[in-house]
Every structure is written in C-alpha cells, then in structure tokens.
Amino acid sequence: MASGDFCSPVEGLELLQKVCGHQLPPCQIGEEDLLHNPHFAKLLLSLAQRLDGTGLSNALAEEQAQAWKDVRLQKTMWLRSEVLHRVIQEMLVDYYVRARDANLTPEDRKFHETLEQRLLVTELTHLLDPPLCPEKETPPPLGLEKADLLDLMPPAEDSRLLQERLLPAVEEGLKKKCFSLLCYHDPNSDSDTDTLKAAKVWKLAETLTGEKQQRQDARSQQKEQIVLLEKQRATYSQALLRCLALLQKLLQEHRLETQAELDRKHTQYLEVKCKAMILKLRMEELQVLSDTYPAEKVEVHRIIRDSLEEATRTQEQDLENSRRLLGAYEVLGAEFDGLVQEYAQLRQEIDNKRWAIREFDKSCH
C-alpha cells in the first residue's frame, strides 16, 4: 500500500470494529495486531467493499440471491402441485375405505373411478417426459409414447363431470388441512367457528412469516452477540496476559528483597513454635506426675525416704566402726589371728556346753 493508506492504531481499531462487526465474517483481531500491522485495517476495509458477511464477492452474492429466488419459486410451484396431488390421493384412499359401504351412489363410484383413471394416466405421462440431460437419450419404458397413454383418458363427458365435482372436493380437503394446521399452530382455535377459523387461516401465512422473521432476527442478534463475545474474550485474554507478565516482573524484582525478611520471620515463628512445644511437653509431664502421685502418696514416700536415709546413715556408721576395728586388728598381726581362732573355738565350746546344760535341765524336770 501507499504511504497515504497508513492509519493510526485508534483509527484502525474503529475501522476494524466497523468492518469485522457488520461486513466481514467474525475474526479475532486486537489492538496489538494493528500495532504490528498498521495497514491491515485499510486492507480489511477494502475487502469489505467487495465481500459480504458470508465471505462471498458482491457479484457472486447477487447470483446466489437470484438462484435462491428461482429455487424458492420452483419450490412454491412444486409444493402447490404436491399439495393437490396428496389431496387427491387422500380422496382416493378415503374412497377405498368407504368402497365396502353399500350406500355409495353410482355417481360417487363413477367420480372416483374417473379420478383414479385420470390420475394414473397423468402420472404415467410424466414418466415419459424427456430427461433433463438431452445428450443422454434413453428409450421410453416399454416403447410407449404419450399418445398411447392419452388414448386411455376417460371420455369427455366423464372428464367434464369430474371437473365440476373435483374443485369443491379439493377445496373442502384443503379447508380441512388448513384448519388442522391452524389448530396445530394455535390449539385454542379448535373451539372457534368455521368463519373465525377461515379468517385466522387467511392471516396464518403472514403470522408464520412474522415468526420466521423474528427467529431470523434472533439468530442475527445471536450472531452479533457471539462476535461481541469473541472480541471480549480476545480482549480479556490479552489483558490477563499483560497482568500475568506484570505480576511476574514484580515478583522477580521484589522477591529477592523480601526473601531475607521472610526467612527471618519464618525462623522466629519456628523458634516460638519449638518453645511452645517444649512447654507443652513439660506441662504434660507435670500432669502425668500430678495424676500419678497425689499428696497422700508423696507424704508416705517422704516418710519412707526419711526412714531409709536414717537406716543408711546407721549402716554407714556401723560400717565405719567395723572398718576402724578391723584396722586395729590388722595392726596386731598374725599372732592375733591365732588368739581369735582360739577365742572362737572357746566360744563354740561354751555354747555347746550351755546347750548340753539346757537339755540336761529339761530332762531333769
């Protein structure tokens, strides 16, 4: 593009919203894309002058609209003939059902037989129509021609009577179908009179067209809402990405400065928590001791301890005396050992004689 096609990001964003929102298919393009591609909005605007909202060129869109118009026309003509054909078929089916009734008049039988014959010949005649592709020539079925089938048409008088009676019958069948369609669309109309039903049927096409237009408008609004939602989603996503980048930058810059303070606080917290755990363990220990040793047990243990300490002191004093005596005896030497043995022997003999005297005294008494 030339330099004159350059536009600022703000102008480009406005053009972008105008173009992408109404003239082009939905596309996700934000402000950053315009900053990196300043000529892109001009390109979209030039494309919008040659394309419609579906992406087709204007000429192709006009051809498509004309084609759809022809299709709708052909479809309308086909639907008309199809409705008449089905009404006639339903009349024949109803005749087959009532054929077992002996009350049918000869005129009714003649009417339905003539109608069936003419319908059958008409359907067979349509089968002999030339194909759509003239380059592919195919022989007619069974070698028949239209003239062969037209000879099977009912007589002219029967056809005249058929036409006179067929039109009211078809109108009555169409009337029933229209009333059925009206009751399906508006169930409250089932209790209305035929005149009121006919008036509502006359406006039913307009009502259905209005409802169809409302649905199309709702779809268009939904499409616009979807486009707006996509734009908002893209905008919010970009804003979130920028916020995340900013948060990451702040985290990287300020985390190192605050990490030492955070570690010190964490250490103080762990220290206080450790002291609290130690105090809690000491409290549990004291609670166990308090539950295990009440005041009465403590007093008894104190008395027992005092008595044991007194006995220990007495035994230590006796042990000390014995050690002093033993030391005195050791000073005397080996001669004292002989005297000790002799003394022990004399004590034993004295004890034996005392025992013998006690036994003698017991025997004397």
Side-chain angles (χ1 to χ4, degrees):
M1 289 186 180
S3 59
D5 294 335
F6 177 79
C7 61
S8 64
V10 177
E11 296 175 352
L13 186 58
E14 294 178 355
L15 291 173
L16 179 65
Q17 293 175 351
K18 178 182 177 182
V19 169
C20 296
H22 303 281
Q23 296 174 305
L24 290 180
C27 54
Q28 298 181 0
I29 302 174
E31 185 177 355
E32 294 183 358
D33 298 321
L34 294 177
L35 293 176
H36 292 88
N37 305 278
H39 301 285
F40 192 60
K42 288 287 187 179
L43 175 61
L44 291 178
L45 186 59
S46 62
L47 288 176
Q49 297 175 357
R50 295 174 175 83
L51 302 178
D52 63 351
T54 61
L56 297 177
S57 63
N58 295 331
L60 187 58
E62 292 178 358
E63 294 179 1
Q64 186 184 37
Q66 183 63 33
W68 278 114
K69 184 177 180 180
D70 297 339
V71 169
R72 285 193 294 269
L73 180 61
Q74 294 295 329
K75 185 178 180 180
T76 302
M77 297 174 60
W78 179 84
L79 286 175
R80 289 176 180 175
S81 61
E82 183 67 17
V83 168
L84 293 175
H85 185 263
R86 292 189 181 185
V87 170
I88 294 173
Q89 285 183 335
E90 291 177 0
M91 292 172 57
L92 293 176
V93 171
D94 184 63
Y95 165 71
Y96 297 147
V97 174
R98 296 186 296 108
R100 299 179 182 180
D101 190 357
N103 296 328
L104 289 177
T105 62
E107 291 79 5
D108 291 339
R109 295 182 182 275
K110 186 66 175 177
F111 169 75
H112 289 92
E113 289 175 0
T114 304
L115 178 62
E116 182 180 7
Q117 182 179 0
R118 191 175 182 87
L119 179 64
L120 180 61
V121 173
T122 303
E123 290 178 350
L124 293 176
T125 303
H126 288 166
L127 293 177
L128 297 178
D129 289 338
L132 298 177
C133 298
E135 66 275 3
K136 295 181 180 180
E137 297 183 357
T138 56
L142 302 177
L144 297 175
E145 299 293 340
K146 284 189 176 182
D148 300 330
L149 296 176
L150 293 177
D151 294 338
L152 300 177
M153 282 289 189
E157 183 64 22
D158 295 340
S159 298
R160 184 182 62 80
L161 295 175
L162 174 66
Q163 292 178 359
E164 292 178 356
R165 188 173 176 179
L166 179 60
L167 184 58
V170 171
E171 289 180 352
E172 185 65 24
L174 291 175
K175 179 180 177 181
K176 291 181 180 180
K177 284 185 173 294
C178 291
F179 286 173
S180 300
L181 179 60
L182 176 63
C183 294
Y184 176 79
H185 179 264
D186 185 11
N188 297 327
S189 302
D190 193 12
S191 59
D192 296 339
T193 62
D194 292 347
T195 304
L196 184 57
K197 287 182 180 179
K200 290 184 177 180
V201 168
W202 185 260
K203 296 182 179 180
L204 182 60
E206 183 179 354
T207 303
L208 294 177
T209 303
E211 293 179 355
K212 182 179 179 181
Q213 185 63 34
Q214 290 178 0
R215 287 195 299 270
Q216 291 178 353
D217 295 340
R219 290 178 180 175
S220 300
Q221 293 179 1
Q222 183 182 12
K223 184 178 179 181
E224 293 177 359
Q225 293 294 330
I226 291 175
V227 173
L228 180 60
L229 181 61
E230 290 294 332
K231 292 180 179 178
Q232 291 179 351
R233 186 181 67 83
T235 303
Y236 293 159
S237 299
Q238 294 176 359
L240 288 176
L241 290 176
R242 288 195 296 268
C243 292
L244 289 176
L246 181 60
L247 288 176
Q248 185 178 4
K249 182 179 179 181
L250 293 174
L251 183 63
Q252 292 176 353
E253 291 178 355
H254 298 283
R255 183 176 180 180
L256 297 177
E257 298 177 359
T258 58
Q259 188 64 40
E261 183 66 19
L262 291 175
D263 293 341
R264 187 178 64 81
K265 296 292 184 182
H266 188 63
T267 303
Q268 292 178 355
Y269 165 75
L270 293 178
E271 182 180 359
V272 172
K273 187 175 181 180
C274 182
K275 291 180 179 179
M277 291 297 295
I278 293 174
L279 292 175
K280 186 175 181 180
L281 291 175
R282 181 58 180 168
M283 184 182 68
E284 293 293 335
E285 181 183 1
L286 294 176
Q287 184 66 35
V288 171
L289 293 175
S290 176
D291 296 338
T292 306
Y293 301 103
E296 295 81 2
K297 290 184 179 181
V298 173
E299 184 64 24
V300 172
H301 288 174
R302 187 182 63 78
I303 295 173
I304 294 173
R305 186 185 61 183
D306 293 342
S307 61
L308 291 176
E309 289 178 353
E310 183 65 25
T312 300
R313 286 194 295 270
T314 304
Q315 291 294 330
E316 289 178 352
Q317 187 175 3
D318 294 342
L319 178 61
E320 186 65 26
N321 295 332
S322 299
R323 286 178 177 174
R324 286 199 301 270
L325 291 175
L326 182 60
Y329 291 151
E330 289 178 351
V331 175
L332 296 177
E335 296 179 357
F336 183 75
D337 292 338
L339 292 176
V340 172
Q341 293 177 0
E342 184 179 357
Y343 175 75
Q345 184 178 0
L346 290 175
R347 290 289 299 178
Q348 185 177 4
E349 290 178 358
I350 292 171
D351 292 337
N352 290 334
K353 289 180 180 181
R354 286 180 178 176
W355 178 78
I357 293 172
R358 285 196 299 270
E359 293 296 327
F360 179 75
D361 290 339
K362 289 179 182 180
S363 61
C364 290
H365 293 291

